[in-house]
PDB file of all heavy atoms in Angstrom:
ATOM      1  N   ARG A1504     -10.988  -2.836  11.578  1.00  0.00           N
ATOM      2  CA  ARG A1504     -11.925  -3.452  10.535  1.00  0.00           C
ATOM      3  C   ARG A1504     -11.552  -3.065   9.111  1.00  0.00           C
ATOM      4  O   ARG A1504     -11.312  -1.828   8.796  1.00  0.00           O
ATOM      5  CB  ARG A1504     -13.358  -2.906  10.876  1.00  0.00           C
ATOM      6  CG  ARG A1504     -14.391  -3.358   9.926  1.00  0.00           C
ATOM      7  CD  ARG A1504     -15.794  -2.780  10.100  1.00  0.00           C
ATOM      8  NE  ARG A1504     -16.258  -3.164  11.402  1.00  0.00           N
ATOM      9  CZ  ARG A1504     -17.064  -4.296  11.470  1.00  0.00           C
ATOM     10  NH1 ARG A1504     -17.314  -5.076  10.474  1.00  0.00           N
ATOM     11  NH2 ARG A1504     -17.609  -4.564  12.725  1.00  0.00           N
ATOM     12  N   LEU A1505     -11.440  -4.085   8.396  1.00  0.00           N
ATOM     13  CA  LEU A1505     -11.187  -3.902   6.838  1.00  0.00           C
ATOM     14  C   LEU A1505     -12.383  -4.127   6.102  1.00  0.00           C
ATOM     15  O   LEU A1505     -13.238  -5.079   6.318  1.00  0.00           O
ATOM     16  CB  LEU A1505     -10.104  -4.914   6.428  1.00  0.00           C
ATOM     17  CG  LEU A1505      -9.876  -5.029   4.919  1.00  0.00           C
ATOM     18  CD1 LEU A1505      -9.362  -3.698   4.325  1.00  0.00           C
ATOM     19  CD2 LEU A1505      -8.924  -6.205   4.618  1.00  0.00           C
ATOM     20  N   THR A1506     -12.839  -3.148   5.261  1.00  0.00           N
ATOM     21  CA  THR A1506     -13.994  -3.208   4.455  1.00  0.00           C
ATOM     22  C   THR A1506     -13.664  -3.830   3.140  1.00  0.00           C
ATOM     23  O   THR A1506     -12.540  -3.941   2.661  1.00  0.00           O
ATOM     24  CB  THR A1506     -14.650  -1.898   4.300  1.00  0.00           C
ATOM     25  OG1 THR A1506     -13.888  -1.114   3.406  1.00  0.00           O
ATOM     26  CG2 THR A1506     -14.802  -1.188   5.671  1.00  0.00           C
ATOM     27  N   GLU A1507     -14.708  -4.222   2.354  1.00  0.00           N
ATOM     28  CA  GLU A1507     -14.620  -4.675   1.031  1.00  0.00           C
ATOM     29  C   GLU A1507     -14.067  -3.648   0.088  1.00  0.00           C
ATOM     30  O   GLU A1507     -13.622  -3.996  -1.106  1.00  0.00           O
ATOM     31  CB  GLU A1507     -15.925  -5.332   0.490  1.00  0.00           C
ATOM     32  CG  GLU A1507     -16.432  -6.574   1.263  1.00  0.00           C
ATOM     33  CD  GLU A1507     -17.584  -7.162   0.691  1.00  0.00           C
ATOM     34  OE1 GLU A1507     -18.240  -6.594  -0.350  1.00  0.00           O
ATOM     35  OE2 GLU A1507     -18.029  -8.198   1.177  1.00  0.00           O
ATOM     36  N   ASP A1508     -14.199  -2.381   0.425  1.00  0.00           N
ATOM     37  CA  ASP A1508     -13.701  -1.358  -0.332  1.00  0.00           C
ATOM     38  C   ASP A1508     -12.197  -1.056  -0.067  1.00  0.00           C
ATOM     39  O   ASP A1508     -11.788   0.076  -0.448  1.00  0.00           O
ATOM     40  CB  ASP A1508     -14.547  -0.036  -0.163  1.00  0.00           C
ATOM     41  CG  ASP A1508     -15.954  -0.277  -0.645  1.00  0.00           C
ATOM     42  OD1 ASP A1508     -16.141  -1.011  -1.601  1.00  0.00           O
ATOM     43  OD2 ASP A1508     -16.884   0.302  -0.013  1.00  0.00           O
ATOM     44  N   TYR A1509     -11.521  -1.816   0.646  1.00  0.00           N
ATOM     45  CA  TYR A1509     -10.112  -1.708   1.004  1.00  0.00           C
ATOM     46  C   TYR A1509      -9.888  -0.549   1.968  1.00  0.00           C
ATOM     47  O   TYR A1509      -8.744   0.078   2.050  1.00  0.00           O
ATOM     48  CB  TYR A1509      -9.252  -1.464  -0.200  1.00  0.00           C
ATOM     49  CG  TYR A1509      -9.241  -2.734  -1.190  1.00  0.00           C
ATOM     50  CD1 TYR A1509     -10.098  -2.743  -2.243  1.00  0.00           C
ATOM     51  CD2 TYR A1509      -8.437  -3.816  -0.915  1.00  0.00           C
ATOM     52  CE1 TYR A1509     -10.071  -3.740  -3.109  1.00  0.00           C
ATOM     53  CE2 TYR A1509      -8.396  -4.872  -1.815  1.00  0.00           C
ATOM     54  CZ  TYR A1509      -9.275  -4.844  -2.908  1.00  0.00           C
ATOM     55  OH  TYR A1509      -9.260  -5.918  -3.745  1.00  0.00           O
ATOM     56  N   GLU A1510     -10.953  -0.044   2.659  1.00  0.00           N
ATOM     57  CA  GLU A1510     -10.713   0.905   3.746  1.00  0.00           C
ATOM     58  C   GLU A1510     -10.473   0.203   5.068  1.00  0.00           C
ATOM     59  O   GLU A1510     -11.061  -0.877   5.319  1.00  0.00           O
ATOM     60  CB  GLU A1510     -12.070   1.838   3.794  1.00  0.00           C
ATOM     61  CG  GLU A1510     -12.089   2.710   2.573  1.00  0.00           C
ATOM     62  CD  GLU A1510     -13.229   3.722   2.698  1.00  0.00           C
ATOM     63  OE1 GLU A1510     -14.190   3.357   3.380  1.00  0.00           O
ATOM     64  OE2 GLU A1510     -13.144   4.801   2.216  1.00  0.00           O
ATOM     65  N   VAL A1511      -9.696   0.890   5.991  1.00  0.00           N
ATOM     66  CA  VAL A1511      -9.386   0.355   7.214  1.00  0.00           C
ATOM     67  C   VAL A1511      -9.919   1.377   8.328  1.00  0.00           C
ATOM     68  O   VAL A1511      -9.557   2.504   8.238  1.00  0.00           O
ATOM     69  CB  VAL A1511      -7.935   0.168   7.469  1.00  0.00           C
ATOM     70  CG1 VAL A1511      -7.595  -0.460   8.787  1.00  0.00           C
ATOM     71  CG2 VAL A1511      -7.352  -0.841   6.429  1.00  0.00           C
ATOM     72  N   PHE A1512     -10.728   0.901   9.229  1.00  0.00           N
ATOM     73  CA  PHE A1512     -11.252   1.614  10.292  1.00  0.00           C
ATOM     74  C   PHE A1512     -10.571   1.166  11.671  1.00  0.00           C
ATOM     75  O   PHE A1512     -10.612  -0.022  11.931  1.00  0.00           O
ATOM     76  CB  PHE A1512     -12.734   1.617  10.465  1.00  0.00           C
ATOM     77  CG  PHE A1512     -13.479   2.280   9.363  1.00  0.00           C
ATOM     78  CD1 PHE A1512     -13.789   1.622   8.114  1.00  0.00           C
ATOM     79  CD2 PHE A1512     -13.888   3.652   9.463  1.00  0.00           C
ATOM     80  CE1 PHE A1512     -14.435   2.231   7.050  1.00  0.00           C
ATOM     81  CE2 PHE A1512     -14.514   4.249   8.425  1.00  0.00           C
ATOM     82  CZ  PHE A1512     -14.825   3.541   7.191  1.00  0.00           C
ATOM     83  N   LYS A1604      -9.764   6.486   9.948  1.00  0.00           N
ATOM     84  CA  LYS A1604      -9.946   5.741   8.727  1.00  0.00           C
ATOM     85  C   LYS A1604      -8.688   5.860   7.842  1.00  0.00           C
ATOM     86  O   LYS A1604      -8.151   7.010   7.640  1.00  0.00           O
ATOM     87  CB  LYS A1604     -11.153   6.257   7.916  1.00  0.00           C
ATOM     88  CG  LYS A1604     -11.424   5.499   6.643  1.00  0.00           C
ATOM     89  CD  LYS A1604     -12.700   5.940   5.974  1.00  0.00           C
ATOM     90  CE  LYS A1604     -12.514   7.303   5.259  1.00  0.00           C
ATOM     91  NZ  LYS A1604     -13.681   7.741   4.432  1.00  0.00           N
ATOM     92  N   ILE A1605      -8.161   4.731   7.284  1.00  0.00           N
ATOM     93  CA  ILE A1605      -7.066   4.713   6.428  1.00  0.00           C
ATOM     94  C   ILE A1605      -7.625   4.398   5.075  1.00  0.00           C
ATOM     95  O   ILE A1605      -8.383   3.489   4.782  1.00  0.00           O
ATOM     96  CB  ILE A1605      -6.061   3.582   6.756  1.00  0.00           C
ATOM     97  CG1 ILE A1605      -5.599   3.792   8.253  1.00  0.00           C
ATOM     98  CG2 ILE A1605      -4.890   3.620   5.860  1.00  0.00           C
ATOM     99  CD1 ILE A1605      -4.685   2.710   8.740  1.00  0.00           C
ATOM    100  N   ARG A1606      -7.265   5.367   4.164  1.00  0.00           N
ATOM    101  CA  ARG A1606      -7.729   5.064   2.632  1.00  0.00           C
ATOM    102  C   ARG A1606      -6.699   4.113   2.061  1.00  0.00           C
ATOM    103  O   ARG A1606      -5.540   4.394   1.837  1.00  0.00           O
ATOM    104  CB  ARG A1606      -7.720   6.370   1.928  1.00  0.00           C
ATOM    105  CG  ARG A1606      -8.819   7.307   2.301  1.00  0.00           C
ATOM    106  CD  ARG A1606      -9.136   8.412   1.246  1.00  0.00           C
ATOM    107  NE  ARG A1606      -7.858   9.303   1.177  1.00  0.00           N
ATOM    108  CZ  ARG A1606      -7.175   9.503   0.058  1.00  0.00           C
ATOM    109  NH1 ARG A1606      -7.488   8.776  -1.021  1.00  0.00           N
ATOM    110  NH2 ARG A1606      -6.167  10.331  -0.007  1.00  0.00           N
ATOM    111  N   GLY A1607      -7.206   2.816   1.828  1.00  0.00           N
ATOM    112  CA  GLY A1607      -6.277   1.784   1.283  1.00  0.00           C
ATOM    113  C   GLY A1607      -5.836   0.967   2.469  1.00  0.00           C
ATOM    114  O   GLY A1607      -5.771   1.446   3.667  1.00  0.00           O
ATOM    115  N   ASN A1608      -5.543  -0.298   2.222  1.00  0.00           N
ATOM    116  CA  ASN A1608      -5.243  -1.208   3.264  1.00  0.00           C
ATOM    117  C   ASN A1608      -3.782  -1.728   3.183  1.00  0.00           C
ATOM    118  O   ASN A1608      -3.469  -2.809   3.605  1.00  0.00           O
ATOM    119  CB  ASN A1608      -6.193  -2.416   3.296  1.00  0.00           C
ATOM    120  CG  ASN A1608      -6.044  -3.308   2.095  1.00  0.00           C
ATOM    121  OD1 ASN A1608      -5.888  -2.766   0.932  1.00  0.00           O
ATOM    122  ND2 ASN A1608      -6.090  -4.577   2.173  1.00  0.00           N
ATOM    123  N   MET A1609      -2.833  -0.895   2.633  1.00  0.00           N
ATOM    124  CA  MET A1609      -1.438  -1.287   2.594  1.00  0.00           C
ATOM    125  C   MET A1609      -0.833  -1.346   3.919  1.00  0.00           C
ATOM    126  O   MET A1609       0.079  -2.137   4.221  1.00  0.00           O
ATOM    127  CB  MET A1609      -0.708  -0.387   1.633  1.00  0.00           C
ATOM    128  CG  MET A1609       0.744  -0.921   1.270  1.00  0.00           C
ATOM    129  SD  MET A1609       1.747   0.258   0.474  1.00  0.00           S
ATOM    130  CE  MET A1609       2.202   1.358   1.839  1.00  0.00           C
ATOM    131  N   TYR A1610      -1.275  -0.491   4.797  1.00  0.00           N
ATOM    132  CA  TYR A1610      -0.641  -0.367   6.164  1.00  0.00           C
ATOM    133  C   TYR A1610      -1.668  -0.674   7.222  1.00  0.00           C
ATOM    134  O   TYR A1610      -2.756  -0.166   7.255  1.00  0.00           O
ATOM    135  CB  TYR A1610      -0.136   1.061   6.341  1.00  0.00           C
ATOM    136  CG  TYR A1610       0.334   1.351   7.713  1.00  0.00           C
ATOM    137  CD1 TYR A1610       1.540   0.887   8.232  1.00  0.00           C
ATOM    138  CD2 TYR A1610      -0.505   2.119   8.478  1.00  0.00           C
ATOM    139  CE1 TYR A1610       1.861   1.197   9.526  1.00  0.00           C
ATOM    140  CE2 TYR A1610      -0.151   2.430   9.851  1.00  0.00           C
ATOM    141  CZ  TYR A1610       1.010   1.885  10.298  1.00  0.00           C
ATOM    142  OH  TYR A1610       1.402   2.231  11.632  1.00  0.00           O
ATOM    143  N   PHE A1611      -1.299  -1.527   8.239  1.00  0.00           N
ATOM    144  CA  PHE A1611      -2.051  -1.740   9.414  1.00  0.00           C
ATOM    145  C   PHE A1611      -1.043  -1.470  10.617  1.00  0.00           C
ATOM    146  O   PHE A1611       0.086  -1.920  10.537  1.00  0.00           O
ATOM    147  CB  PHE A1611      -2.544  -3.239   9.554  1.00  0.00           C
ATOM    148  CG  PHE A1611      -3.627  -3.542   8.586  1.00  0.00           C
ATOM    149  CD1 PHE A1611      -3.279  -4.006   7.246  1.00  0.00           C
ATOM    150  CD2 PHE A1611      -4.855  -3.548   8.983  1.00  0.00           C
ATOM    151  CE1 PHE A1611      -4.300  -4.286   6.361  1.00  0.00           C
ATOM    152  CE2 PHE A1611      -5.930  -4.004   8.062  1.00  0.00           C
ATOM    153  CZ  PHE A1611      -5.620  -4.269   6.715  1.00  0.00           C
ATOM    154  N   PRO A1634     -13.037  -9.021   5.531  1.00  0.00           N
ATOM    155  CA  PRO A1634     -13.751  -9.952   4.534  1.00  0.00           C
ATOM    156  C   PRO A1634     -12.887 -11.121   4.314  1.00  0.00           C
ATOM    157  O   PRO A1634     -11.676 -10.968   3.938  1.00  0.00           O
ATOM    158  CB  PRO A1634     -14.015  -9.077   3.310  1.00  0.00           C
ATOM    159  CG  PRO A1634     -13.807  -7.675   3.869  1.00  0.00           C
ATOM    160  CD  PRO A1634     -12.806  -7.737   4.945  1.00  0.00           C
ATOM    161  N   LYS A1636     -12.815 -12.988   1.727  1.00  0.00           N
ATOM    162  CA  LYS A1636     -12.364 -13.012   0.333  1.00  0.00           C
ATOM    163  C   LYS A1636     -11.071 -12.084   0.167  1.00  0.00           C
ATOM    164  O   LYS A1636     -10.355 -12.331  -0.788  1.00  0.00           O
ATOM    165  CB  LYS A1636     -13.436 -12.616  -0.625  1.00  0.00           C
ATOM    166  CG  LYS A1636     -13.835 -11.134  -0.452  1.00  0.00           C
ATOM    167  CD  LYS A1636     -14.948 -10.861  -1.467  1.00  0.00           C
ATOM    168  CE  LYS A1636     -15.458  -9.322  -1.467  1.00  0.00           C
ATOM    169  NZ  LYS A1636     -16.463  -9.104  -2.473  1.00  0.00           N
ATOM    170  N   LEU A1637     -10.903 -11.063   0.973  1.00  0.00           N
ATOM    171  CA  LEU A1637      -9.745 -10.216   0.848  1.00  0.00           C
ATOM    172  C   LEU A1637      -8.523 -10.879   1.609  1.00  0.00           C
ATOM    173  O   LEU A1637      -7.403 -10.691   1.159  1.00  0.00           O
ATOM    174  CB  LEU A1637      -9.966  -8.873   1.395  1.00  0.00           C
ATOM    175  CG  LEU A1637     -10.899  -7.972   0.524  1.00  0.00           C
ATOM    176  CD1 LEU A1637     -10.967  -6.509   1.109  1.00  0.00           C
ATOM    177  CD2 LEU A1637     -10.512  -7.927  -0.947  1.00  0.00           C
ATOM    178  N   GLY A1638      -8.888 -11.559   2.636  1.00  0.00           N
ATOM    179  CA  GLY A1638      -7.765 -12.130   3.429  1.00  0.00           C
ATOM    180  C   GLY A1638      -6.895 -11.160   4.252  1.00  0.00           C
ATOM    181  O   GLY A1638      -6.979  -9.964   4.059  1.00  0.00           O
ATOM    182  N   PRO A1686      -1.801  -7.087   4.895  1.00  0.00           N
ATOM    183  CA  PRO A1686      -2.844  -7.522   3.958  1.00  0.00           C
ATOM    184  C   PRO A1686      -2.364  -8.770   3.090  1.00  0.00           C
ATOM    185  O   PRO A1686      -1.229  -8.991   2.944  1.00  0.00           O
ATOM    186  CB  PRO A1686      -3.167  -6.367   3.105  1.00  0.00           C
ATOM    187  CG  PRO A1686      -1.778  -5.701   3.066  1.00  0.00           C
ATOM    188  CD  PRO A1686      -1.220  -5.818   4.344  1.00  0.00           C
ATOM    189  N   LYS A1687      -3.369  -9.387   2.427  1.00  0.00           N
ATOM    190  CA  LYS A1687      -3.081 -10.222   1.306  1.00  0.00           C
ATOM    191  C   LYS A1687      -3.402  -9.372   0.102  1.00  0.00           C
ATOM    192  O   LYS A1687      -2.550  -8.681  -0.416  1.00  0.00           O
ATOM    193  CB  LYS A1687      -3.940 -11.482   1.442  1.00  0.00           C
ATOM    194  CG  LYS A1687      -3.486 -12.433   2.458  1.00  0.00           C
ATOM    195  CD  LYS A1687      -4.325 -13.792   2.473  1.00  0.00           C
ATOM    196  CE  LYS A1687      -3.810 -14.752   3.519  1.00  0.00           C
ATOM    197  NZ  LYS A1687      -4.678 -15.972   3.530  1.00  0.00           N
ATOM    198  N   ALA A1688      -4.710  -9.393  -0.347  1.00  0.00           N
ATOM    199  CA  ALA A1688      -5.065  -8.478  -1.429  1.00  0.00           C
ATOM    200  C   ALA A1688      -5.139  -7.065  -0.803  1.00  0.00           C
ATOM    201  O   ALA A1688      -5.658  -6.841   0.289  1.00  0.00           O
ATOM    202  CB  ALA A1688      -6.436  -8.864  -1.925  1.00  0.00           C
ATOM    203  N   PHE A1689      -4.591  -6.095  -1.569  1.00  0.00           N
ATOM    204  CA  PHE A1689      -4.604  -4.738  -1.030  1.00  0.00           C
ATOM    205  C   PHE A1689      -4.713  -3.725  -2.195  1.00  0.00           C
ATOM    206  O   PHE A1689      -4.400  -4.019  -3.323  1.00  0.00           O
ATOM    207  CB  PHE A1689      -3.417  -4.436  -0.164  1.00  0.00           C
ATOM    208  CG  PHE A1689      -2.139  -4.135  -0.881  1.00  0.00           C
ATOM    209  CD1 PHE A1689      -1.699  -2.816  -1.035  1.00  0.00           C
ATOM    210  CD2 PHE A1689      -1.346  -5.149  -1.362  1.00  0.00           C
ATOM    211  CE1 PHE A1689      -0.506  -2.561  -1.723  1.00  0.00           C
ATOM    212  CE2 PHE A1689      -0.233  -4.926  -2.099  1.00  0.00           C
ATOM    213  CZ  PHE A1689       0.235  -3.593  -2.275  1.00  0.00           C
ATOM    214  N   SER A1690      -5.088  -2.492  -1.818  1.00  0.00           N
ATOM    215  CA  SER A1690      -5.201  -1.448  -2.845  1.00  0.00           C
ATOM    216  C   SER A1690      -4.947  -0.131  -2.160  1.00  0.00           C
ATOM    217  O   SER A1690      -5.259   0.094  -0.986  1.00  0.00           O
ATOM    218  CB  SER A1690      -6.653  -1.474  -3.458  1.00  0.00           C
ATOM    219  OG  SER A1690      -6.831  -0.406  -4.387  1.00  0.00           O
ATOM    220  N   MET A1691      -4.291   0.752  -2.866  1.00  0.00           N
ATOM    221  CA  MET A1691      -3.992   2.087  -2.424  1.00  0.00           C
ATOM    222  C   MET A1691      -4.171   3.051  -3.611  1.00  0.00           C
ATOM    223  O   MET A1691      -3.477   2.988  -4.596  1.00  0.00           O
ATOM    224  CB  MET A1691      -2.501   2.156  -1.927  1.00  0.00           C
ATOM    225  CG  MET A1691      -2.133   3.580  -1.377  1.00  0.00           C
ATOM    226  SD  MET A1691      -2.941   4.021   0.138  1.00  0.00           S
ATOM    227  CE  MET A1691      -2.096   2.957   1.261  1.00  0.00           C
ATOM    228  N   GLU A1692      -5.177   3.840  -3.522  1.00  0.00           N
ATOM    229  CA  GLU A1692      -5.528   4.847  -4.528  1.00  0.00           C
ATOM    230  C   GLU A1692      -5.594   4.225  -5.887  1.00  0.00           C
ATOM    231  O   GLU A1692      -5.060   4.844  -6.915  1.00  0.00           O
ATOM    232  CB  GLU A1692      -4.578   6.038  -4.424  1.00  0.00           C
ATOM    233  CG  GLU A1692      -4.747   6.834  -3.150  1.00  0.00           C
ATOM    234  CD  GLU A1692      -4.107   8.207  -3.301  1.00  0.00           C
ATOM    235  OE1 GLU A1692      -3.733   8.662  -4.363  1.00  0.00           O
ATOM    236  OE2 GLU A1692      -4.029   8.818  -2.177  1.00  0.00           O
ATOM    237  N   GLY A1693      -6.219   3.113  -6.002  1.00  0.00           N
ATOM    238  CA  GLY A1693      -6.495   2.464  -7.275  1.00  0.00           C
ATOM    239  C   GLY A1693      -5.424   1.559  -7.748  1.00  0.00           C
ATOM    240  O   GLY A1693      -5.584   0.777  -8.761  1.00  0.00           O
ATOM    241  N   TYR A1694      -4.297   1.502  -7.039  1.00  0.00           N
ATOM    242  CA  TYR A1694      -3.180   0.565  -7.380  1.00  0.00           C
ATOM    243  C   TYR A1694      -3.379  -0.647  -6.459  1.00  0.00           C
ATOM    244  O   TYR A1694      -3.269  -0.580  -5.292  1.00  0.00           O
ATOM    245  CB  TYR A1694      -1.786   1.220  -7.051  1.00  0.00           C
ATOM    246  CG  TYR A1694      -1.511   2.380  -7.967  1.00  0.00           C
ATOM    247  CD1 TYR A1694      -1.738   3.684  -7.574  1.00  0.00           C
ATOM    248  CD2 TYR A1694      -0.958   2.231  -9.184  1.00  0.00           C
ATOM    249  CE1 TYR A1694      -1.480   4.802  -8.365  1.00  0.00           C
ATOM    250  CE2 TYR A1694      -0.613   3.358 -10.046  1.00  0.00           C
ATOM    251  CZ  TYR A1694      -0.950   4.627  -9.599  1.00  0.00           C
ATOM    252  OH  TYR A1694      -0.608   5.681 -10.360  1.00  0.00           O
ATOM    253  N   ALA A1695      -3.655  -1.805  -7.124  1.00  0.00           N
ATOM    254  CA  ALA A1695      -3.997  -3.027  -6.348  1.00  0.00           C
ATOM    255  C   ALA A1695      -2.996  -4.085  -6.654  1.00  0.00           C
ATOM    256  O   ALA A1695      -2.343  -4.195  -7.722  1.00  0.00           O
ATOM    257  CB  ALA A1695      -5.422  -3.454  -6.712  1.00  0.00           C
ATOM    258  N   ALA A1696      -2.761  -5.052  -5.631  1.00  0.00           N
ATOM    259  CA  ALA A1696      -1.892  -6.141  -5.797  1.00  0.00           C
ATOM    260  C   ALA A1696      -2.138  -7.050  -4.679  1.00  0.00           C
ATOM    261  O   ALA A1696      -3.000  -6.966  -3.871  1.00  0.00           O
ATOM    262  CB  ALA A1696      -0.493  -5.667  -5.938  1.00  0.00           C
TER     263      ALA A1696
END
Side-chain angles (χ1 to χ4, degrees):
R1504 179 185 290 273
L1505 170 63
T1506 73
E1507 293 185 356
D1508 297 326
Y1509 298 98
E1510 290 183 328
V1511 179
F1512 289 87
K1604 182 176 76 172
I1605 304 174
R1606 290 196 295 118
N1608 66 321
M1609 189 188 78
Y1610 167 77
F1611 289 84
K1636 68 179 183 180
L1637 292 185
K1687 291 183 178 177
F1689 78 102
S1690 178
M1691 180 71 72
E1692 295 201 6
Y1694 296 94

